């Protein structure tokens, strides 16, 4: 169910270096959204670009939804300057959502702005008392906003080793797999920049671990009309296929895909 809603900004705070959290009062969307879904945002009433800004939902609490974003362009610059009680036009919830959360041990991997849907899933699992691991990756400790706490199955990684595990989320994942556990009983849920997703996909397939990745890509409409977010599916090349059989749309068929079902991240 897609809803267009005029939301009210509750708060906007910088929670880490160049990383902002905004809370929006959006009772209609908040009542139906699920971890993994996203919204499409009109940053301001004077926004002249054809494209809205797609943002993963980072959390839901009562009538509020949360987003987490980095300032990388004009749209996110405007968003970082939102004030309490500003009105924001959004469309959502869009896309599919994570499911199958209890049949295996969930391993959550997040990096970059991909931390948003992973954080939503992490809190959802906690609220439903579902045991899991969370691995968050960043370049340096100033980009992290949660605590490294292996005892609570929360692992941080940094490229420079300034906090947590020195390395990438793959190193954090290997740290978990080194424990005496059956990897056949694990399932990966991941979201991050394309390079991270690429290596998570490769690692999961090489180690025969079930893996679901939320892709990040540019979107215009957010609901399948513009066909601008196509991703190639793994199909039998010996057989003729229609365009829609060979290519999925991230906004409509995703953003979450089984890692085995797509060619590239």
């Amino acid at each position: 169910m897609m809803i267009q809603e005029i939301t009210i900004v509750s708060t906007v705070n910088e929670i880490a270096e160049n990383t902002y959290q905004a809370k929006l009062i959006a009772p209609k969307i908040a009542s139906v959204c699920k971890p993994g879904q996203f919204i499409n945002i009109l940053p301001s009433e004077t926004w002249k670009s054809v494209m809205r800004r797609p943002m993963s939902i980072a959390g839901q609490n009562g009538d509020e939804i949360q987003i987490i974003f980095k300032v990388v362009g004009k749209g996110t610059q405007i968003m970082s300057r939102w004030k309490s009680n500003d009105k924001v036009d959004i469309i959502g919830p869009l896309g599919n959502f994570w499911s199958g959360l209890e049949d295996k041990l969930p391993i959550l991997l997040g990096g970059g702005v991909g931390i948003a849907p992973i954080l939503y899933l992490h809190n959802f699992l906690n609220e439903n008392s579902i045991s899991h691991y969370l691995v968050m990756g960043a370049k340096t400790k100033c980009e992290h906003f949660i605590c490294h706490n292996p005892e609570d199955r929360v692992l941080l990684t940094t490229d420079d080793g300034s906090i947590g595990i020195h390395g990438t989320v793959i190193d954090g994942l290997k740290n978990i797999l080194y424990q005496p556990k059956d990897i056949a009983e694990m399932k990966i849920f991941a979201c991050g920049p394309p390079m991270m997703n690429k290596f998570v996909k490769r690692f999961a397939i090489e180690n025969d671990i079930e893996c679901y990745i939320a892709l990040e890509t540019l979107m215009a409409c957010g609901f399948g009309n513009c066909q601008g977010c196509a991703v190639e599916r793994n199909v039998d090349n010996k057989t003729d296929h229609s365009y829609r059989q060979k290519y999925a749309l991230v906004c409509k068929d995703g953003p979450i895909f089984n890692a085995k079902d797509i060619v590239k991240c």
Side-chain angles (χ1 to χ4, degrees):
M1 181 173 65
M2 183 180 70
I3 301 166
Q4 183 171 9
E5 187 168 13
I6 305 300
T7 68
I8 305 297
V9 175
S10 176
T11 60
V12 179
N13 294 299
E14 188 173 13
I15 57 175
E17 184 178 74
N18 196 38
T19 302
Y20 292 80
Q21 180 191 64
K23 296 182 180 180
L24 305 173
I25 301 172
K28 294 179 181 179
I29 291 175
S31 68
V32 294
C33 65
K34 296 180 180 180
Q37 293 185 302
F38 67 97
I39 57 176
N40 230 1
I41 301 172
L42 197 64
S44 72
E45 293 179 350
T46 59
W47 184 246
K48 296 180 180 180
S49 173
V50 174
M51 296 174 63
R52 290 178 175 240
R53 289 296 175 262
M55 293 281 163
S56 294
I57 300 172
Q60 177 271 330
N61 183 20
D63 287 345
E64 283 188 349
I65 60 172
Q66 302 167 24
I67 56 173
I68 294 173
F69 60 93
K70 292 179 180 289
V71 175
V72 295
K74 291 181 179 179
T76 45
Q77 282 179 348
I78 292 171
M79 291 163 55
S80 70
R81 297 172 187 149
W82 285 341
K83 304 297 182 184
S84 296
N85 296 318
D86 282 354
K87 294 182 179 180
V88 179
D89 184 331
I90 68 174
I91 297 172
L94 301 171
N96 59 3
F97 52 87
W98 277 298
S99 60
L101 303 174
E102 296 187 73
D103 57 339
K104 294 183 179 181
L105 177 65
I107 310 295
L108 280 52
L109 308 178
V113 292
I115 58 180
I118 292 296
L119 187 63
Y120 188 4
L121 181 58
H122 168 62
N123 290 329
F124 178 85
L125 293 175
N126 281 338
E127 290 166 4
N128 289 275
S129 301
I130 300 174
S131 180
H132 64 284
Y133 281 89
L134 171 66
V135 182
M136 289 288 203
K139 292 180 180 179
T140 183
K141 66 178 181 180
C142 63
E143 296 181 348
H144 277 301
F145 56 89
I146 60 175
C147 296
H148 180 65
N149 192 344
E151 291 184 2
D152 284 343
R153 297 185 171 186
V154 176
L155 305 177
L156 302 186
T157 71
T158 47
D159 293 351
D160 63 2
S162 53
I163 193 172
I165 297 168
H166 190 178
T168 68
V169 294
I170 297 296
D171 296 293
L173 177 59
K174 289 178 179 178
N175 186 279
I176 295 168
L177 299 182
Y178 287 153
Q179 307 300 319
K181 300 180 180 68
D182 183 358
I183 62 173
E185 296 303 317
M186 296 181 178
K187 185 186 295 187
I188 294 173
F189 301 87
C191 184
M195 189 59 68
M196 175 194 136
N197 288 342
K198 172 184 175 181
F199 285 109
V200 170
K201 168 182 163 69
R202 179 187 300 172
F203 184 91
I205 291 174
E206 288 176 350
N207 290 275
D208 197 25
I209 304 173
E210 192 174 357
C211 177
Y212 294 87
I213 299 176
L215 301 185
E216 295 179 352
T217 187
L218 292 174
M219 301 178 192
C221 70
F223 43 84
N225 278 3
C226 70
Q227 308 284 302
C229 58
V231 59
E232 188 176 359
R233 304 179 195 257
N234 271 318
V235 294
D236 183 358
N237 291 324
K238 297 178 182 179
T239 307
D240 290 334
H241 301 280
S242 70
Y243 174 83
R244 284 292 282 131
Q245 288 173 321
K246 188 171 178 60
Y247 293 94
L249 299 177
V250 173
C251 69
K252 188 173 183 178
D253 303 309
I256 299 163
F257 296 92
N258 187 316
K260 293 181 178 180
D261 291 343
I262 52 176
V263 175
K264 295 180 180 179
C265 294

